[in-house]
Amino acid sequence: GRGLLILAVAFNLGILFYFKYFNFALENANLLLSALSGGNKGFFKVRALTMPIGISFFTFQSLSYVIDVYRDKKLVQKNIFNLALYICLFPQLIAGPIVRYQTIRNQISDRSPRLDDVTCGIERFIIGLGKKVLIANTVANVADWPFELITKGNISIKNAWLGAICYSLQIYFDFSGYSDMAIGLCRIFGFRLEENFNYPYIAKTVTDFWRRWHISLSKWFRDYVYIPLGGNRVEKHEHVRNLFVVWTLTGLWHGANWTFIIWGWLYFIVLMAEKYTNIINIVNKSKLLGQLYRIATLLVVVLCWVVFRSDSISIAVRYITCMFVPRTAFAAKDAQYVTNRYIAFVALSIFLCTPICKVLYEKVKNLTNNSGFCFLLNVLKYCAMITILGISLAASIAATYNPFIYFNF
C-alpha cells in the first residue's frame, strides 16, 4: 500500500542522505547558527563518514523498483536473487547508466546471449575503455592544472579557457566511456541497456543538450519527480516550481556542495528562458542565428562545468572572471608548456565529440554490397579495436590511480 511505499522511499533516501548529505547539512546548520548567535561555532560535530561508492546510482534503482511495483503490482519480482541482480548488476552498479526496473524486468528472467551480442559488447567495451584511458585521462592533465592554480591566484585568459574546455572534454569522455563499458559488458551477458549519451556537444539548444547528456538521469527525474508533480500540465507558476525542484535535486544528486546546487539552478534559469521566451523560434528562422545559438549553448555548458568543477562558489567566480578579464597570471612558462604540449590532442578530442567518424563509417559501409570490400572494412575495424585495446591496457598499467569522475556521485 501507500504506507509501505512511503516507508521504502524514506528508508532508501534516508541512507543516501546520511552518507552523502548529513555532514553537508550539519556544516550549513553550524554556519547559520554561528551567524545568528554572533560568532559561536561548533554547535554540531561533523562526523567522518565514508560514502559507499556509487550510492546515488543503486539507490535510484531501488527506488525505481519500489515505485514501479506500487504503480503496477504485476511487476513485482518474487525471486530475491533476480531482484538482487537488478539492483547489483555489476557493470553499471558504480556509475550508471541508471536502469529502470520496467526496462530490464523481462531481460532478468528471459535472455539468451548470442554471438553477435558478445561481439558487439566487446567492441562497445573497447571504445569505452579508449575514451576513458586515452582521451579523458590525457585531457585531465590539462584541466587539473588551471583549476589547481586558480586556488592560489589568477590565470591567463588562454589557460582559463583551455582548462574549462579540457574539463568539459574530460567529464564527457570519462562518463560516456564508463557508460559504453557498462553497456558493452551487459550486452555480453545478454542485457540491452538504453543509451546514456547522444553526442551532447552538438546540441542546438540547452534543452537539446539535456536530451543528449546523462539521458538515464533525466528520464528518472522526469518519470519519478517531474510528472508526479504535474509536469507541464499545470499553471505556469506550478510548472516553474516543478522545474525548480527537479533542477535543485539534479544539482544535489551530484554532490553535497553549493557548487552543484548553483550549477543546477543555472540550468534552471537558462531552461526557463528557453521555455518562456521566443528565443528558440527566433533562432530557428535563420541558419546563421541557429549556428550562433549553438555556439552560445556550448558557452553556457562550458561555464556551467566550471562551476561544477570548482571547489567553492568564490573560486568559480574567480575562474570565470579570468576567462573574460585579463589578469596577471602565475607560472606563465608552465602554462605555455601545457598549452603547446596538448593543443593538438585537445583539437582531436573536440573532433571526436562529434558523430563525423560514425557517419563516415556508415556511409562507406553502405556504398557497396561487395562482400570483399565489407570483409576488408571489418578487418580494418577489428585492427583498430585491437590497437585501441592494446594502447589502453599499456596506458592503464603505466598510469597512476585515476578513477572515474562519476564514482564520486
Side-chain angles (χ1 to χ4, degrees):
R2 188 178 182 85
L4 288 175
L5 172 68
I6 294 171
L7 184 63
V9 170
F11 175 76
N12 279 283
L13 291 180
I15 293 174
L16 180 64
F17 174 82
Y18 178 74
F19 284 104
K20 195 168 182 178
Y21 304 107
F22 185 70
N23 281 340
F24 178 66
L26 290 185
E27 288 167 2
N28 282 278
N30 282 338
L31 287 173
L32 179 62
L33 292 172
S34 175
L36 293 175
S37 63
N40 294 328
K41 297 181 179 180
F43 289 92
F44 301 105
K45 186 179 180 181
V46 175
R47 304 178 182 183
L49 297 175
T50 302
M51 186 172 68
I53 195 168
I55 187 171
S56 297
F57 288 93
F58 60 74
T59 299
F60 272 33
Q61 293 206 174
S62 300
L63 290 172
S64 169
Y65 172 75
V66 169
I67 297 169
D68 284 352
V69 169
Y70 174 75
R71 291 173 175 176
D72 184 357
K73 299 296 188 293
K74 295 177 184 177
L75 296 177
V76 67
Q77 177 56 255
K78 296 181 180 179
N79 186 321
I80 191 169
F81 295 105
N82 286 343
L83 179 60
L85 175 62
Y86 161 66
I87 296 174
C88 302
L89 188 61
F90 83 89
Q92 50 73 238
L93 172 68
I94 297 174
I98 301 169
V99 180
R100 290 184 53 188
Y101 179 66
Q102 280 186 335
T103 304
I104 205 173
R105 171 183 171 243
N106 293 330
Q107 299 178 47
I108 290 174
S109 55
D110 183 21
R111 67 185 184 282
S112 51
R114 301 189 303 271
L115 182 60
D116 64 318
D117 286 324
V118 176
T119 304
C120 292
I122 292 172
E123 289 177 14
R124 190 67 180 270
F125 179 87
I126 292 172
I127 290 170
L129 182 65
K131 280 183 176 181
K132 165 60 181 171
V133 175
L134 302 182
I135 303 178
N137 285 3
T138 304
V139 292
N141 292 328
V142 189
D144 289 346
W145 194 85
F147 280 99
E148 210 173 286
L149 190 62
I150 197 69
T151 60
K152 303 170 185 176
N154 297 318
I155 55 179
S156 67
I157 290 179
K158 180 173 70 172
N159 287 290
W161 276 99
L162 184 66
I165 291 169
C166 283
Y167 181 71
S168 302
L169 293 170
Q170 180 196 358
I171 197 167
Y172 168 66
F173 283 109
D174 184 284
F175 192 20
S176 70
Y178 185 93
S179 293
D180 286 339
M181 293 167 72
I183 291 169
L185 281 174
C186 286
R187 183 75 180 270
I188 292 171
F189 299 129
F191 291 99
R192 293 184 177 233
L193 305 188
E194 294 181 344
E195 294 297 329
N196 209 25
F197 289 88
N198 182 23
Y199 300 102
Y201 291 151
I202 66 167
K204 297 177 180 178
T205 64
V206 177
T207 302
D208 186 33
F209 173 80
W210 276 101
R211 292 193 186 110
R212 296 169 175 271
W213 178 276
H214 204 345
I215 299 168
S216 62
L217 180 67
S218 299
K219 286 184 176 180
W220 199 96
F221 276 118
R222 179 197 68 193
D223 294 339
Y224 297 115
V225 179
Y226 180 66
I227 291 176
L229 285 173
N232 58 1
R233 298 183 177 182
V234 289
E235 296 294 329
K236 182 177 177 180
H237 70 278
E238 292 176 320
H239 181 229
V240 172
R241 176 209 62 195
N242 295 346
L243 284 171
F244 180 78
V245 170
V246 166
W247 283 103
T248 301
L249 293 176
T250 301
L252 271 172
W253 182 87
H254 284 89
N257 193 315
W258 279 103
T259 53
F260 297 121
I261 298 172
I262 298 297
W263 173 81
W265 287 348
L266 289 172
Y267 272 115
F268 163 74
I269 293 167
V270 175
L271 291 168
M272 282 294 92
E274 288 190 350
K275 180 74 176 176
Y276 286 108
T277 66
N278 202 34
I279 188 167
I280 301 301
N281 291 330
I282 293 171
V283 299
N284 285 339
K285 291 177 181 178
S286 164
K287 257 190 176 180
L288 176 60
L289 288 176
Q291 293 304 318
L292 289 173
Y293 196 78
R294 190 190 292 267
I295 294 170
T297 295
L298 274 175
L299 177 61
V300 168
V301 171
V302 169
L303 292 177
C304 285
W305 283 138
V306 170
V307 177
F308 188 91
R309 171 64 174 78
S310 299
D311 295 330
S312 67
I313 299 300
S314 60
I315 289 175
V317 171
R318 188 196 302 169
Y319 194 106
I320 292 172
T321 302
C322 287
M323 292 173 71
F324 296 97
V325 180
R327 296 287 180 92
T328 303
F330 279 175
K333 290 182 180 178
D334 289 344
Q336 190 64 39
Y337 167 74
V338 169
T339 304
N340 294 340
R341 187 179 178 188
Y342 289 103
I343 196 70
F345 187 85
V346 171
L348 175 63
S349 302
I350 292 171
F351 173 77
L352 293 175
C353 285
T354 70
I356 294 174
C357 290
K358 182 180 179 181
V359 170
L360 286 175
Y361 174 79
E362 293 298 331
K363 282 188 175 181
V364 171
K365 189 177 178 182
N366 295 330
L367 276 177
T368 177
N369 293 323
N370 185 285
S371 57
F373 178 79
C374 291
F375 175 77
L376 178 61
L377 197 63
N378 283 330
V379 169
L380 291 173
K381 181 179 75 171
Y382 291 129
C383 285
M385 290 293 171
I386 292 169
T387 303
I388 293 170
L389 178 61
I391 297 173
S392 298
L393 291 176
S396 298
I397 293 168
T400 55
Y401 177 64
N402 195 346
F404 289 91
I405 293 174
Y406 266 72
F407 280 11
N408 298 317
F409 308 138

